[in-house]
Amino acid sequence: MRSATWYRSSSDVSGRLLRRKSPRVAVNIPALLMAEDKSLLGRCTMLDVSDGGARLQVERPAELPATLILVLSKGARTIRHCAVRWRSDTEIGVEFLKGPVRDGAEPPRSGTPEPADTETPAG
């Protein structure tokens, strides 16, 4: 397993663009992050997405675990298991782990805000 990169140089970014298997699509979707034990890690905004992964805006990237669950719908009906591949000061890049999107997953613990309730940060 490769360790996460904590910086992005311009040559690294251009090289990564050439290696992408599928193009990224710009989106602005509020979502939630959960740990594997279903505890809430926080809110995020999906900035762009491809078949294999996504770029997420988060508050404290360094505090997130190496693997997490991205909750994309109310009631946690649509989730993606992810591995963090890179981190910056305000963003992370995640790779979607093998397997289909799971519907009907166990919802976050009581009192957890739904992704649609997330305010999108100005950017």
Side-chain angles (χ1 to χ4, degrees):
M1 179 197 267
R2 293 185 313 196
S3 63
T5 301
W6 293 90
Y7 63 91
R8 286 195 259 172
S9 69
S10 60
S11 63
D12 185 40
V13 171
S14 63
R16 199 169 34 246
L17 291 174
L18 294 174
R19 291 189 306 264
R20 278 211 180 105
K21 294 176 186 171
S22 57
R24 290 203 180 246
V25 176
V27 295
N28 190 20
I29 299 172
L32 295 175
L33 297 174
M34 292 189 323
E36 296 292 334
D37 68 1
K38 306 291 191 276
S39 62
L40 180 66
L41 295 171
R43 297 173 184 229
C44 69
T45 301
M46 182 185 296
L47 300 174
D48 60 44
V49 64
S50 71
D51 288 339
R55 181 170 56 107
L56 308 174
Q57 183 176 30
V58 297
E59 288 197 21
R60 293 177 298 278
E63 296 177 16
L64 295 173
T67 59
L68 48 83
I69 299 169
L70 178 62
V71 180
L72 298 168
S73 67
K74 286 188 175 190
R77 286 182 298 269
T78 305
I79 66 170
R80 285 291 206 160
H81 289 269
C82 302
V84 176
R85 293 299 179 213
W86 58 264
R87 302 169 195 252
S88 74
D89 290 339
T90 60
E91 299 175 356
I92 61 172
V94 296
E95 176 183 1
F96 298 141
L97 299 177
K98 297 290 182 195
V101 172
R102 289 182 37 202
D103 289 333
E106 180 181 324
R109 292 181 179 168
S110 178
T112 301
E114 299 291 350
D117 296 338
T118 305
E119 292 180 18
T120 305

